[in-house]
Amino acid sequence: MMHAIRPLPDLLINQIAAGEVVERPAAALKELLENALDAGATSIDVDVAGGGIKRLRVADNGDGIEREDLALAVSRHATSKIASIVDLEAIATLGFRGEALASIAAVSRLAIASRAKDRPHAWRIEVEGGTVGPVAPAALASGTTVTVEELYFNTPARRKFLRTEATEWAHCNEAFRRIALAHDDVTFTLTHNGRAQHRLIPGGRRARVEALLGDAFVLHATSVEAVAGEVRLTGFAVRPAYAADAPSTQYVFVNGRHVRDRMLAHALRDAYRDVLHHERLPAYALWLSIDPRRVDVNVHPQKTEVRFRDAGAIHQFVRHAVERALATTAAEQPAVSAAERLGLAAAHLPPRVPASAALAREPGVSGDAGFSMATQTAMPLDVNEPAAFYRRLFGERASAPPVLPDDDPHPLGFAIAQLHGVYVLAQNRAGLVLVDMHAAHERIVYERLKKAFDERVPVQPLLVPATFAAEALEVAAANEHRDALDALGFDVSALGPATLAVRGIPAPLKDADAAALARAVLHEIREFGGSRALDARRDELLATMACHAAVRANRSLTLAEMNALLREMEATERAGQCNHGRPTWFHLSLADLDRLFMRGR
Ligand SMILES: Nc1ncnc2c1ncn2[C@@H]1O[C@H](COP(=O)(O)OP(=O)(O)OP(=O)(O)O)[C@@H](O)[C@H]1O
Ligand SMILES: [Mg+2]
């Protein structure tokens, strides 16, 4: 049956908006904090109770609200921050939509007490589920105190979506952290259920970052500092060698606003690509400042996404800035990398290394990839021990290379040695085969996983659960995304507020490091934003898992193991490239080698 079209009542409009603007207590807290900052506060006290569901209170010493504006502050589309489209195109404040307080007030019991600058008295107003009460006198020395209680008390369907108190608290804590990181010139305190959590005083960015992200983060980071015209990027990027030790700390602020921006995340991934082993996570905290006219913040109800007018140029600028910062670090380290070594050798090579006829069907061996694999490998070789090297290559190899039959059915040949725990050397009828064993094995495991996950993947229960220290947000994510983890074959649960236990992992990965694997998967699930996104990104997740399960570099393999790897490669689809598109093996024919040694034939 059709209904007549009619306008929605105001309260319902606000409740609908609340679904987007304040989907959880942490989002409401963020709005209150941003209002305080927009009011010019230099000191902000935050009090959270019951994960923010029971109470959020933000007290600031900012400019305050005039008595006659109090009712306006909680009505929809009322703002003091912008007045025209010109303002909208150059937003200098954190808020501008004029809907946050109205949305929060529609789904909670809200009270605002405020004393406008230079006024002799303070005034307060209360709103209960959208019903605005009268303005009454209040006692307050300065600034504004906003109290939000019983969030979603009048929208039970919404309330049902809230998670446990611990989870909501973890999100509130994170919202606070983002704001406090972006505003190191402001004093902040945070309490939860009466217990002090943070007390931050202005002392410069480094001190603020240390206080919130830990000393180790700053210690292991290199500073980033780049300017191009009026665009400026500053902050910290963790050196690749420490990337695994740091938790997945990734913060980007644009004009003092924490954002999640795909383009910037991509630029940063690119910046790390050459120097970071792909299973490790880049870690950074970066501040971008840009003319507000060149960035649109009016993209997302929660104002967490932005759109750059010159996205391409910003991408390049950020990537280069961080690449350069990380490169400096590498130069400080004297270790000679495989890339440099082989890069030199490659200079003597003919530009193209033709694939032999037998191997031409292999898609991974496109001629012009040539020796560039060398420059894609950042694995340092220990060149100081040539003796050990030769011993490994020749001295301890009892078995002679096999004599290969003319109708050799194995295009990848037979293993003769392992080079520095990284490459397998094999000989086939036409010459030499070099295999990056980790990359190759990773692809094999990945393809195997894809097959296994087409059906319901069996879970391998662990006799002894693997436990690991986790951040509150990781614990929260494990609770929140239990179904998604379950579907992936993981049994992960909280053992305590800062400990997770892995009790089961996907059976095809039973030999992997369960804790590291679970942790990586949790990180990705968080990045993807939950189970709905998971289906679409299943393969990416499986690739991450495969990486963890594949043989590590620097593990020595027996000849039998190496040959088994070669046979599996021959039987696996797409085995010519690793999961990240890099080649897994190369072939040098005898003719190529002859040319290398200038042996005329
Ligand atoms: N802590 C505060 N101190 C001073 N004024 C405030 C404070 N909080 C809110 N206000 C006033 O109330 C108005 C409405 O706040 P609200 O958060 O709803 O909208 P906004 O901040 O203008 O935009 P947005 O919806 O994007 O946050 C603000 O424009 C501001 O004038
Ligand atoms: Mg606001």
Side-chain angles (χ1 to χ4, degrees):
M1 189 190 96
M2 289 282 282
H3 293 282
I5 299 177
R6 52 183 169 246
L8 293 170
D10 275 355
L11 176 61
L12 191 51
I13 293 175
N14 286 336
Q15 286 174 337
I16 291 170
E20 297 184 307
V21 181
V22 286
E23 57 157 334
R24 66 189 336 156
L29 175 59
K30 167 189 164 286
E31 294 297 336
L32 300 183
L33 287 168
E34 290 187 347
N35 281 346
L37 290 164
D38 281 345
T42 57
S43 179
I44 300 176
D45 297 309
V46 184
D47 176 32
V48 178
I53 305 164
K54 194 157 163 248
R55 186 178 67 242
L56 291 169
R57 176 179 291 141
V58 174
D60 68 55
N61 66 349
D63 294 339
I65 305 172
E66 297 286 353
R67 174 188 180 177
E68 58 276 17
D69 287 344
L70 274 174
L72 269 182
V74 293
S75 66
R76 194 172 170 71
H77 304 313
T79 180
S80 57
K81 299 172 190 176
I82 60 170
S84 70
I85 187 73
V86 179
D87 294 342
L88 184 61
E89 283 170 0
I91 289 165
T93 49
L94 294 165
F96 55 88
R97 304 171 76 104
E99 64 178 0
L101 285 181
S103 303
I104 297 169
V107 293
S108 69
R109 302 179 218 277
L110 176 131
I112 306 179
S114 191
R115 179 164 170 181
K117 262 223 158 69
D118 306 324
R119 297 291 176 194
H121 301 292
W123 298 90
R124 70 184 263 123
I125 193 172
E126 286 180 18
V127 192
E128 181 159 334
T131 310
V132 184
V135 176
L140 191 69
S142 72
T144 304
T145 298
V146 181
T147 310
V148 176
E149 285 176 318
E150 306 298 336
L151 205 51
Y152 303 122
F153 80 97
N154 58 346
T155 48
R158 259 277 134 205
R159 198 178 169 121
K160 257 198 273 167
F161 280 101
L162 293 179
R163 305 291 168 151
T164 61
E165 177 182 324
T167 297
E168 297 304 337
W169 156 244
H171 284 279
C172 286
N173 194 14
E174 181 62 16
F176 171 88
R177 201 200 309 227
R178 289 171 182 166
I179 295 270
L181 276 171
H183 301 274
D184 56 51
D185 51 346
V186 175
T187 298
F188 288 93
T189 65
L190 174 66
T191 61
H192 183 225
N193 292 341
R195 283 179 47 193
Q197 305 285 335
H198 281 295
R199 174 168 185 80
L200 305 164
I201 50 167
R205 178 175 295 161
R206 178 174 287 266
R208 184 61 57 95
V209 171
E210 269 174 6
L212 289 165
L213 303 183
D215 300 352
F217 176 83
V218 175
L219 189 69
H220 294 154
T222 175
S223 27
V224 177
E225 176 89 63
V227 185
E230 18 84 284
V231 191
R232 193 178 141 91
L233 186 74
T234 53
F236 303 92
V238 165
R239 295 189 202 106
Y242 299 100
D245 303 342
S248 55
T249 303
Q250 299 180 346
Y251 292 95
V252 181
F253 304 92
V254 175
N255 291 346
R257 184 192 305 278
H258 175 268
V259 298
R260 292 175 158 277
D261 184 73
R262 277 169 182 283
M263 183 275 285
L264 290 174
H266 184 266
L268 288 158
R269 228 177 301 134
D270 270 1
Y272 270 92
R273 176 152 298 154
D274 258 8
V275 288
L276 190 65
H277 194 256
H278 49 254
E279 97 205 27
R280 294 188 172 181
L281 300 167
Y284 45 76
L286 296 164
W287 287 257
L288 185 78
S289 68
I290 182 171
D291 180 342
R293 278 170 305 193
R294 310 221 64 85
V295 57
D296 186 0
V297 290
N298 185 23
V299 176
H300 186 261
Q302 295 182 7
K303 296 163 281 192
T304 49
E305 286 171 23
V306 290
R307 214 169 279 146
F308 293 95
R309 199 149 303 166
D310 325 285
I314 299 291
H315 184 285
Q316 208 178 7
F317 167 71
V318 169
R319 200 191 77 200
H320 280 160
V322 175
E323 240 169 32
R324 231 178 304 123
L326 295 174
T328 320
T329 322
E332 287 159 13
Q333 295 162 352
V336 179
S337 73
E340 285 155 353
R341 287 269 132 179
L342 290 174
L344 284 176
H348 300 292
L349 274 180
R352 281 172 169 261
V353 182
S356 83
L359 305 167
R361 59 171 185 83
E362 180 47 63
V365 187
S366 71
D368 57 11
F371 253 50
S372 65
M373 83 186 276
T375 56
Q376 291 159 342
T377 309
M379 199 82 64
L381 286 181
D382 188 357
V383 292
N384 296 325
E385 289 186 348
F389 171 70
Y390 283 116
R391 217 179 308 125
R392 251 212 335 265
L393 259 183
F394 306 111
E396 285 158 16
R397 294 281 167 221
S399 56
V403 180
L404 298 172
D406 270 2
D407 56 345
D408 174 19
H410 296 307
L412 293 181
F414 291 89
I416 45 181
Q418 187 184 8
L419 186 62
H420 282 259
V422 178
Y423 299 106
V424 170
L425 308 188
Q427 92 171 10
N428 67 0
R429 240 163 41 79
L432 173 71
V433 174
L434 283 155
V435 176
D436 177 336
M437 68 183 203
H438 174 74
H441 192 222
E442 196 181 322
R443 168 62 78 175
I444 290 168
V445 176
Y446 176 48
E447 295 294 328
R448 219 189 275 153
L449 280 179
K450 282 200 284 189
K451 281 213 183 82
F453 276 85
D454 283 342
E455 277 135 49
R456 185 160 177 92
V457 67
V459 178
Q460 171 75 49
L462 301 180
L463 275 180
V464 182
T467 61
F468 60 93
E471 294 190 336
L473 268 190
E474 288 179 309
V475 175
N479 285 327
E480 205 163 326
H481 302 302
R482 186 177 296 278
D483 293 349
L485 285 164
D486 194 49
L488 286 165
F490 284 91
D491 179 355
V492 181
S493 54
L495 260 196
T499 312
L500 283 174
V502 189
R503 296 196 158 81
I505 58 175
L509 298 173
K510 61 183 186 332
D511 297 325
D513 174 343
L517 185 63
R519 193 163 198 174
V521 168
L522 261 180
H523 175 80
E524 299 229 346
I525 291 179
R526 264 174 61 195
E527 284 284 287
F528 300 169
S531 32
R532 257 169 300 145
L534 274 185
D535 269 354
R537 321 257 322 237
R538 186 198 75 155
D539 284 358
E540 275 174 62
L541 252 171
L542 297 187
T544 301
M545 287 156 61
C547 182
H548 273 267
V551 282
R552 298 265 70 82
N554 287 320
R555 214 194 89 197
S556 57
L557 301 183
T558 63
L559 280 180
E561 284 174 317
M562 290 188 255
N563 281 324
L565 178 68
L566 297 174
R567 299 296 79 82
E568 278 196 273
M569 286 175 71
E570 286 162 357
T572 301
E573 283 174 29
R574 293 178 281 274
Q577 305 102 55
C578 80
N579 302 342
H580 313 275
R582 293 189 291 257
T584 56
W585 61 277
F586 279 91
H587 181 250
L588 282 172
S589 69
L590 285 175
D592 295 331
L593 291 168
D594 287 345
R595 233 173 310 162
L596 186 60
F597 291 101
M598 296 183 230
R599 252 168 82 135
R601 274 206 172 174

